[in-house]
Amino acid sequence: LFHSILPFYVKREQFDIWLESFTPPFSTSCLQRFTNKPVIGLVHMLSAEDMERKYKIPFTVIEKRGLKTYRYFIVLTEKIKEKISLINKNAKIFIIPNGITLPEDKPIHDSFDPYILFIGRLEFNQKGLDLLIEAYHQSDIKEKLVIAGLGSSADTQKLKELINKHKLQEKIIFAGKVDGTRKDMLFRNASAIVVPSRFETFSMVVLEAMAYGKPMVGFDIAGLQWVPDDCMLKVAPFDSERFGFEIERILKDKELWGRMSMAAKKQAGKYTWESALKKYEEVLDKLTLRKVPSPLR
């Protein structure tokens, strides 16, 4: 319904430039077809491939046809730019990553028992929680696993059944939805962050983990190629046994942990909101041919 209504709004509203944030299941509403004014496709993710894998409906056919109708895109990574360029060779594509607010430099709390952290949507198909539980089960990891986030009742029940099957009830903690001080505490005191996703684009959890200087383990998928190897140990998709081994390696090798922590903090410093705002301003200046008032001024 949302996709179908947008063309009526783009015809009716008065605007200089329209930013269309792509959404599942087939990303685009083809808004550039309904106006001569510039429409920028704001691509946080191209969702059709993942939706097609999940629901067995050919969403990618609609997405590819839609992508061909645009003149301008803003994307988060070089990988997404390459993907769109193969479909629409004439489009102008700007890369502007998301930003992060760097946390205060505070010490961790010694009173917390060590733990590794998964934070995100409780979901199997994309987020790979089944792979994480298998990795944890097959390993000799002594630290507890904290799982933070919410999901559908079906996936949550499936997750609990898998945990019960492997008799991991005493080692896995459900934190539920977290934000604010509680989220800060979970990141700050975690030993490492795990990202077992089968599919990602530009993970904000990864960026947050970098900001807290936390080493990570993830699968070597296209959506995580923007993450430097010195910030994340990447495992061949989708080798659960190796995934668990790499978690153990980070926890045992303190020198490796320290190097990765320093590299993560350094990398996070490149993703400030001020930098992102400046890049957006430059794109809008260029496409509207007039100076846009900056929120930084």
Side-chain angles (χ1 to χ4, degrees):
L1 181 60
F2 174 77
H3 277 287
S4 64
I5 288 175
L6 278 177
F8 295 99
Y9 275 91
V10 90
K11 281 177 168 290
R12 191 182 72 181
E13 299 294 333
Q14 297 298 316
F15 62 93
D16 296 304
I17 192 164
W18 188 291
L19 279 79
E20 180 190 349
S21 183
F22 284 12
T23 58
F26 36 74
S27 303
T28 167
S29 293
C30 304
L31 294 189
Q32 188 64 84
R33 282 194 176 277
F34 300 93
T35 179
N36 291 323
K37 294 179 181 179
V39 175
I40 302 177
L42 184 57
V43 189
H44 288 94
M45 66 181 295
L46 291 173
S47 55
E49 185 178 337
D50 186 49
M51 293 292 102
E52 184 168 314
R53 182 178 69 244
K54 189 173 182 178
Y55 297 108
K56 314 304 179 188
I57 298 172
F59 293 118
T60 53
V61 175
I62 300 172
E63 182 180 85
K64 287 179 179 179
R65 289 181 179 177
L67 291 175
K68 292 177 181 179
T69 67
Y70 291 81
R71 292 176 283 169
Y72 310 108
F73 295 94
I74 291 176
V75 301
L76 301 181
T77 66
E78 183 67 38
K79 197 69 182 178
I80 301 177
K81 178 181 178 179
E82 292 173 2
K83 192 170 184 177
I84 292 175
S85 295
L86 290 174
I87 298 168
N88 186 342
K89 298 186 185 331
N90 298 318
K92 179 68 175 175
I93 305 174
F94 307 93
I95 300 177
I96 308 179
N98 281 329
I100 186 73
T101 300
L102 299 177
E104 294 181 38
D105 191 11
K106 296 179 182 178
I108 64 172
H109 297 282
D110 294 334
S111 58
F112 281 87
D113 292 330
Y115 61 87
I116 57 177
L117 175 64
F118 168 91
I119 185 166
R121 189 170 68 257
L122 304 192
E123 197 247 12
F124 277 51
N125 183 268
Q126 179 189 346
K127 296 301 182 180
L129 277 170
D130 53 326
L131 300 172
L132 175 59
I133 300 303
E134 289 295 337
Y136 192 67
H137 167 64
Q138 294 175 45
S139 71
D140 293 320
I141 299 170
K142 300 295 187 286
E143 296 193 6
K144 290 188 176 181
L145 169 63
V146 174
I147 297 177
L150 298 176
S152 70
S153 57
D155 273 337
T156 303
Q157 181 60 33
K158 187 177 177 182
L159 177 60
K160 290 179 178 179
E161 289 173 358
L162 188 58
I163 291 170
N164 292 339
K165 173 185 173 183
H166 295 307
K167 297 179 172 58
L168 295 172
Q169 301 94 317
E170 301 300 318
K171 295 186 68 177
I172 296 178
I173 300 169
F174 284 94
K177 181 182 179 181
V178 295
D179 52 23
T181 302
R182 191 156 176 251
K183 183 179 179 182
D184 173 77
M185 180 199 70
L186 278 176
F187 267 113
R188 193 175 298 280
N189 296 290
S191 300
I193 309 298
V194 287
V195 188
S197 301
R198 290 181 170 91
F199 175 86
E200 282 291 349
T201 51
F202 191 93
S203 169
M204 286 302 296
V205 169
V206 168
L207 196 50
E208 288 173 309
M210 288 179 181
Y212 282 92
K214 298 301 177 180
M216 294 171 283
V217 178
F219 290 116
D220 192 10
I221 57 176
L224 294 176
Q225 286 185 3
W226 65 276
V227 184
D229 292 343
D230 57 0
C231 299
M232 175 183 283
L233 297 182
K234 298 177 183 177
V235 179
F238 294 99
D239 188 339
S240 292
E241 184 176 359
R242 187 70 189 183
F243 197 93
F245 174 82
E246 295 297 349
I247 296 172
E248 288 185 71
R249 186 154 75 97
I250 283 182
L251 299 178
K252 290 177 181 178
D253 191 334
K254 300 305 179 184
E255 185 179 341
L256 172 64
W257 193 100
R259 290 199 308 270
M260 293 184 71
S261 177
M262 290 180 61
K265 286 185 177 180
K266 184 178 179 181
Q267 187 69 16
K270 300 177 182 179
Y271 293 92
T272 64
W273 282 120
E274 288 77 8
S275 174
L277 285 168
K278 184 178 180 181
K279 290 176 182 177
Y280 268 96
E281 183 184 33
E282 290 170 354
V283 171
L284 296 177
D285 284 349
K286 187 178 296 184
L287 298 188
T288 59
L289 302 179
R290 64 183 180 84
K291 204 67 178 172
V292 178
S294 172
L296 300 179
R297 295 190 187 122

